[in-house]
Amino acid sequence: MLKISGLLITIASLVALMNSPLMADGKATFETKCKACHGIDAKGSEPIAKGMKVELKALDLTDDTKGKAETDLAKVVTDGQGGKMPSFKGKLDDAQILEVVKYLKGL
């Protein structure tokens, strides 16, 4: 019985998190700033991957974000990466970047 109630609490917490304003704001920012390259489902945009001459997997954020710390992901969003991922420094504030990172980690 204890395992079931713990599972129910975990599920309820995840549902609450997914419906929180932070997740909603992160999703909205992702959709306006990130989906063009990373796709609406964060699995990458095939036409963009072809145009950038990168593997589609390079634009897939669904697995890539799971094992990384939020600070590391925020640094990539802030500073860009590898000449292909642009910097969002000055385009998004720290709170917006954190919201996007939390949204991605919740996918």
Side-chain angles (χ1 to χ4, degrees):
M1 185 69 165
L2 188 56
K3 285 184 180 181
I4 293 173
S5 52
L7 178 62
L8 291 175
I9 290 170
T10 302
I11 292 170
S13 298
L14 289 172
V15 169
L17 178 63
M18 293 302 291
N19 291 320
S20 74
L22 188 65
M23 291 296 287
D25 291 346
K27 181 179 180 183
T29 302
F30 177 86
E31 288 179 355
T32 59
K33 301 290 185 182
C34 312
K35 82 173 183 183
C37 294
H38 294 289
I40 189 71
D41 58 0
K43 292 185 178 187
S45 166
E46 197 166 331
I48 295 294
K50 285 181 182 178
M52 292 174 69
K53 297 181 180 157
V54 298
E55 295 284 326
L56 182 60
K57 184 178 179 175
L59 299 176
D60 185 342
L61 301 175
T62 58
D63 285 331
D64 192 42
T65 59
K66 301 289 186 218
K68 293 187 178 174
E70 288 180 3
T71 53
D72 294 337
L73 295 170
K75 183 170 177 37
V76 171
V77 175
T78 302
D79 298 336
Q81 184 175 21
K84 304 269 182 176
M85 165 81 183
S87 165
F88 281 88
K89 187 174 189 170
K91 297 173 188 161
L92 295 174
D93 63 34
D94 291 343
Q96 289 173 306
I97 291 170
L98 182 59
E99 290 166 359
V100 168
V101 167
K102 287 190 178 293
Y103 168 71
L104 290 170
K105 292 203 54 96
L107 292 177

